Amino acid sequence: MMAAGTIASYFASLKGFSCGLNLGNRVDFVKFASSPDSKKSGRLKSKVLVVTNSSSDSDTVELQPVSEGSPLLVPRQKYCESVHKTVRRKTRTVMVGGVALGSEHQIRIQTMTTSDTKDVVKTVEEVMRIADKGADLVRITVQGKREADACFDIKNSLVQKNYNIPLIADIHFAPSVALRVAECFDKIRVNPGNFADRRAQFVQLEYTEEDYLKELEHIEEVFSPLVEKCKKYGRALRIGTNHGSLSDRIMSYYGDSPRGMVESAFEFARICRKLDFHNFVFSMKASNPVIMVQAYRLLVAEMYVQGWDYPLHLGVTEAGEGEDGRMKSAIGIGTLLQDGLGDTIRVSLTEPPEEEIDPCRKLASLGMRAANHQKGVTPFKEKNRRYFDFQRRNGQLPVQKEGEEVDYRGVLHRDGSVLMSVSLDKAKTPELLYRSLATKLAVGMPFKDLATVDSILLNKLPLVEDTDTRLALKRLVDISMGILAPLSEQLTRPLPNAIALVNLKELSSGAYKLLSEGTRLAVTVRGDEHYEELDILKSVGDITMLLHCLPYGEEKVGRVHAARRLFEYLQENSLNFPVIHHLQFPKGTERDDLVIGAGSETGALLVDGLGDGILIEAPDQDFDFLRDTSFNLLQGCRMRNTKTEYVSCPSCGRTLFDLQEVSAQIRERTSHLPGVSIAIMGCIVNGPGEMADADFGYVGGAPGKIDLYVGKTVVKRGIAMESATEALIQLIKDHGRWADPPPEE
């Protein structure tokens, strides 16, 4: 039985919806149908049948509530080729010098020089080092006429040395400079937020439609000469939007949002298309990986609607340094690569540019491998995942049951849990065990702290007569730390109050019933099982959590897609178990490979709100490294905040101080401030706008001088570099965000 009706073509919520579908322009009528059984579950699942004037064929558009419980329905938009396997999005080929970008080619890798562009010798040497490391493209900042003039010498010198790597000019605020450098460089990157608009003042402006159209005419007037010059010389363009540097006009109209980022880029793209220029790519960068992913998805969804096929350059801007920077980049870039999106990438690190190449190559290889194997699962209907806005699926945290001797409520953390695999040998040395789990110690007794591991997995339990080890484990149970142990271990050498780890076969066979009554269970699932196998989850009580675990060596099954399928099954069956992402890396996995693998495969789920924690196993990796990587992953996905967050630009020719040295100094003094975000920016281009997520900012204002910001507002100017770090700390204190570092134990 179906309840059905029709909706006129002028139906406001369809015609006016800004997704780009423009239904009101081509619809005779819309037939609305909803299934009665969907009302029982309290979730509205609807479809709209759109009948067009031009053809007898009909398009079916699935609708979803704009937010949970909302009566307003909006179309579910396609943002990738497939949600159940990695299929590379088909794009046109864009030529950058002699390098081809697009879906018919390898994912290209690139970086950016950090030397002063006017220093031709130093810049040429840097480009050569980058090329020798294997980069396909290199970007150089060009901020003024002198830098533009130097670009001719840079290009000529490289050609004389037989280096033909394509060069990209990075342009902000300077249309005339872009015109000049287009005569020698292969590609021009323009920032739509500041190429034709004035620098954002972060003020709300009121626009009439006429005012807005006049501004668009101004943009066309300023940008068109560059497009025509690129056509003449065979150059490429990148229309590169940054979340933090949107113009006041865009922010006033669309907000500081992914929607504003997309529209800002589309204004420039429409001019290119009007002039019949198509040798361009898009980028949608942000320092927040969640915002970055949403913006790219929305961009691609709009391109599908428009029938556009331009390639994508991927990057998380100001990712930082070390494992933090690699993790943030892996979360953002890796998520999109898993969906077949991305044709060229950069990993932006506050490190020498050649150090970006290796993690960039690893990510590109991951994306190509997934696409070549079309890793995924059998097709399934996806109805519940939110593509374009973050809405976390909250699994039901453990609740205390009557008669239980210990408190299980701390086994998982509400903001995201970290579980660690512990060897029996480590468990036999209690103080070492407690410290490695990041507990606080008082008279040798453990207590949970802000970044303490929530639960542990013991694949082998101590013998019953090993009372010392069992006492050490009991003390962890007493502070509400969960201890998971395989069913076979819990049956042969039971540990009181441990959680038994079982698989679906052990559930179906009833083997778990041999456990003492009331024993809590953790269930391991792959996610690609037949739904009939998963149905056992509906009938078993005492399930505290699920562990989603797929063997590392799977060639065809994709972890991300298997997990999406699992979450869809849970949602459709109203099962709200917490799900822990369990990653098992093989022996010999390098640190960077582990960080990038974990960020790509688990971050791709957590940025969609799918998952309640992480358990990483790697047999030959340092325990502390695995623990810190797990917490970094949760913080990078904007879940659990356990340390200071840094937004740090990667440096370029505009940078007014030694960014790597200063960044290290600031981190050393401020790394103990969880919940505080600090932006460290080399110049004003990457200043107040680019650090949109930061609480405090340290920004180069002039050579040897630093400006300090609170949010996007400058509060102190021209501070001598020698005293700027102390001034930043005092600023944090003045705003009540400082805490003294904890004493060394």
Side-chain angles (χ1 to χ4, degrees):
M1 292 287 294
M2 299 289 286
T6 61
I7 300 174
S9 60
Y10 53 81
F11 183 52
S13 69
L14 289 176
K15 184 177 180 181
F17 179 60
S18 62
C19 71
L21 290 178
N22 297 320
L23 295 178
N25 295 334
R26 61 184 182 91
V27 178
D28 285 337
F29 67 87
V30 182
K31 186 176 181 182
F32 179 91
S34 64
S35 171
D37 60 358
S38 68
K39 297 174 184 175
K40 295 177 184 177
S41 66
R43 290 188 299 274
L44 185 56
K45 304 169 195 170
S46 307
K47 286 192 174 180
V48 166
L49 184 66
V50 181
V51 182
T52 65
N53 294 320
S54 58
S55 168
S56 59
D57 296 334
S58 65
D59 302 316
T60 300
V61 180
E62 186 175 342
L63 296 186
Q64 64 181 11
V66 69
S67 61
E68 190 168 353
S70 171
L72 177 61
L73 300 179
V74 296
R76 276 179 81 85
Q77 288 176 270
K78 174 182 177 181
Y79 78 92
C80 63
E81 290 295 312
S82 171
V83 296
H84 58 79
K85 63 180 178 179
T86 302
V87 179
R88 203 154 168 209
R89 170 180 163 260
K90 297 296 182 185
T91 74
R92 68 176 59 230
T93 292
V94 166
M95 296 302 301
V96 184
V99 174
L101 305 181
S103 58
E104 298 302 312
H105 312 281
Q106 295 289 316
I107 296 172
R108 305 299 187 182
I109 59 179
Q110 59 180 278
T111 183
M112 187 173 185
T113 59
T114 60
S115 53
D116 184 344
T117 307
K118 297 189 299 296
D119 189 334
V120 174
V121 172
K122 193 172 180 180
T123 302
V124 167
E125 289 174 351
E126 197 169 24
V127 171
M128 290 166 59
R129 288 199 306 273
I130 290 167
D132 290 342
K133 273 280 192 174
D136 298 304
L137 308 160
V138 62
R139 182 157 46 112
I140 299 172
T141 187
V142 189
Q143 62 266 51
K145 183 179 183 301
R146 288 187 298 167
E147 287 81 6
D149 291 341
C151 289
F152 287 82
D153 295 329
I154 292 168
K155 180 73 171 180
N156 290 335
S157 181
L158 286 167
V159 170
Q160 290 169 13
K161 297 174 186 292
N162 293 318
Y163 280 83
N164 294 310
I165 185 169
L167 303 179
I168 306 166
D170 192 59
I171 302 293
H172 295 264
F173 305 112
S176 61
V177 173
L179 286 169
R180 170 74 170 143
V181 79
E183 296 175 10
C184 67
F185 273 17
D186 303 283
K187 182 180 175 185
I188 311 296
R189 180 269 169 135
V190 298
N191 183 342
N194 58 36
F195 186 80
D197 285 305
R198 64 191 178 92
R199 187 190 303 278
Q201 304 298 310
F202 306 101
V203 295
Q204 186 72 25
L205 303 177
E206 295 294 333
Y207 281 93
T208 65
E209 187 171 350
E210 183 180 359
D211 292 336
Y212 201 87
L213 290 174
K214 282 183 179 178
E215 295 246 358
L216 293 182
E217 289 171 4
H218 170 68
I219 292 172
E220 184 170 352
E221 181 181 326
V222 173
F223 184 52
S224 292
L226 177 61
V227 176
E228 295 286 12
K229 198 153 201 176
C230 287
K231 284 180 68 176
K232 176 181 177 181
Y233 285 90
R235 308 306 187 200
L237 276 170
R238 169 155 70 92
I239 301 172
T241 305
N242 275 49
H243 175 229
S245 57
L246 297 175
S247 68
D248 286 331
R249 176 179 52 81
I250 284 288
M251 286 192 287
S252 296
Y253 215 76
Y254 296 96
D256 186 7
S257 66
R259 164 63 58 189
M261 294 172 68
V262 172
E263 183 55 32
S264 182
F266 266 42
E267 289 176 352
F268 280 64
R270 292 184 191 109
I271 296 168
C272 290
R273 290 177 57 83
K274 182 177 179 180
L275 297 173
D276 196 26
F277 178 78
H278 302 279
N279 202 46
F280 66 89
V281 303
F282 284 112
S283 66
M284 296 275 125
K285 293 191 179 184
S287 59
N288 180 336
V290 177
I291 295 291
M292 174 262 199
V293 168
Q294 290 172 6
Y296 275 103
R297 285 175 173 171
L298 188 59
L299 171 75
V300 175
E302 295 290 347
M303 281 204 281
Y304 275 124
V305 170
Q306 300 295 336
W308 296 0
D309 60 353
Y310 301 105
L312 299 176
H313 167 69
L314 305 184
V316 175
T317 192
E318 289 99 30
E321 63 185 27
E323 284 151 15
D324 284 358
R326 286 160 175 79
M327 178 61 79
K328 279 186 188 177
S329 293
I331 293 167
I333 298 171
T335 295
L336 296 166
L337 292 176
Q338 296 280 357
D339 278 323
L341 305 179
D343 305 287
T344 172
I345 61 177
R346 181 198 176 189
V347 174
S348 299
L349 301 175
T350 311
E351 298 177 20
E354 55 267 30
E355 296 301 317
E356 296 181 355
I357 303 303
D358 191 52
C360 207
R361 183 182 292 113
K362 291 178 188 298
L363 272 168
S365 297
L366 180 150
M368 289 302 300
R369 188 166 58 249
N372 289 339
H373 289 293
Q374 293 205 349
K375 295 180 75 169
V377 292
T378 54
F380 64 97
K381 186 69 173 176
E382 190 175 51
K383 304 175 185 176
N384 296 288
R385 182 165 63 97
R386 301 291 290 271
Y387 306 156
F388 306 118
D389 62 334
F390 181 80
Q391 185 169 315
R392 186 177 167 197
R393 171 200 179 267
N394 285 303
Q396 175 61 57
L397 294 175
V399 294
Q400 200 65 13
K401 298 178 182 178
E402 188 176 349
E404 287 185 321
E405 299 175 354
V406 298
D407 188 353
Y408 286 97
R409 289 173 294 181
V411 164
L412 298 176
H413 194 284
R414 66 183 181 185
D415 296 326
S417 305
V418 170
L419 283 70
M420 293 291 294
S421 179
V422 173
S423 68
L424 184 55
D425 286 342
K426 186 180 283 289
K428 288 177 180 292
T429 53
E431 187 168 335
L432 176 63
L433 171 65
Y434 298 155
R435 290 187 185 278
S436 65
L437 297 174
T439 64
K440 289 288 186 183
L441 293 177
V443 201
M445 300 292 287
F447 296 90
K448 278 193 171 182
D449 198 17
L450 184 69
T452 299
V453 171
D454 300 290
S455 292
I456 63 173
L457 168 63
L458 268 173
N459 283 307
K460 195 169 183 62
L461 290 174
L463 297 172
V464 175
E465 55 268 26
D466 187 353
T467 55
D468 289 343
T469 304
R470 286 180 167 252
L471 177 60
L473 295 173
K474 179 183 181 301
R475 286 174 174 163
L476 293 177
V477 172
D478 288 342
I479 62 169
S480 199
M481 184 176 291
I483 298 179
L484 283 66
L487 176 64
S488 57
E489 288 289 303
Q490 193 62 6
L491 288 174
T492 55
R493 49 183 84 175
L495 182 72
N497 303 306
I499 299 170
L501 183 62
V502 301
N503 57 38
L504 290 175
K505 186 175 181 180
E506 289 166 335
L507 278 187
S508 299
S509 68
Y512 73 97
K513 295 178 181 177
L514 297 173
L515 295 165
S516 59
E517 187 178 353
T519 299
R520 288 178 177 257
L521 304 175
V523 184
T524 293
V525 294
R526 289 172 52 98
D528 64 340
E529 298 93 344
H530 292 297
Y531 289 138
E532 292 77 11
E533 294 177 66
L534 292 172
D535 284 344
I536 187 68
L537 298 173
K538 301 176 187 177
S539 58
V540 176
D542 298 319
I543 296 178
T544 298
M545 69 185 84
L546 304 183
L547 269 60
H548 176 246
C549 184
L550 200 66
Y552 187 84
E554 293 278 358
E555 283 293 321
K556 295 293 286 183
V557 181
R559 170 183 295 279
V560 171
H561 306 93
R564 287 176 181 169
R565 180 178 180 273
L566 172 64
F567 282 108
E568 193 66 33
Y569 171 85
L570 296 176
Q571 192 82 355
E572 287 298 296
N573 289 278
S574 301
L575 299 173
N576 60 350
F577 306 121
V579 178
I580 304 301
H581 296 294
H582 186 185
L583 301 179
Q584 295 174 312
F585 289 94
K587 191 172 183 178
T589 302
E590 296 180 0
R591 283 193 170 199
D592 270 10
D593 288 318
L594 188 147
V595 169
I596 288 168
S600 299
E601 299 209 333
T602 305
L605 297 159
L606 296 179
V607 296
D608 283 332
L610 301 178
D612 301 275
I614 181 77
L615 166 58
I616 302 176
E617 292 189 87
D620 51 357
Q621 283 294 350
D622 178 71
F623 190 93
D624 289 354
F625 164 71
L626 294 177
R627 183 196 65 227
D628 292 345
T629 297
S630 300
F631 280 109
N632 287 347
L633 176 57
L634 294 180
Q635 183 152 332
C637 293
R638 295 305 196 261
M639 292 177 65
R640 186 171 174 181
N641 201 312
T642 52
K643 63 180 184 180
T644 313
E645 181 76 14
Y646 295 98
V647 179
S648 179
C649 82
S651 186
C652 70
R654 292 185 178 88
T655 303
L656 298 170
F657 54 84
D658 187 328
L659 197 61
Q660 294 171 46
E661 180 182 338
V662 169
S663 178
Q665 292 173 0
I666 293 174
R667 286 169 184 266
E668 184 180 1
R669 300 288 303 278
T670 62
S671 62
H672 62 287
L673 302 172
V676 173
S677 178
I678 300 173
I680 308 167
M681 297 295 172
C683 69
I684 195 64
V685 165
N686 288 325
E690 300 291 328
M691 60 183 195
D693 280 343
D695 301 310
F696 303 96
Y698 180 109
V699 181
K705 301 293 183 181
I706 301 298
D707 298 338
L708 296 182
Y709 287 75
V710 175
K712 297 173 182 176
T713 304
V714 62
V715 293
K716 292 188 177 182
R717 292 189 184 274
I719 302 170
M721 274 199 62
E722 296 75 20
S723 57
T725 300
E726 289 299 332
L728 173 65
I729 291 171
Q730 187 59 51
L731 185 64
I732 296 171
K733 290 179 178 178
D734 292 344
H735 284 78
R737 305 293 298 276
W738 180 262
D740 290 328
E744 291 288 333
E745 292 186 356

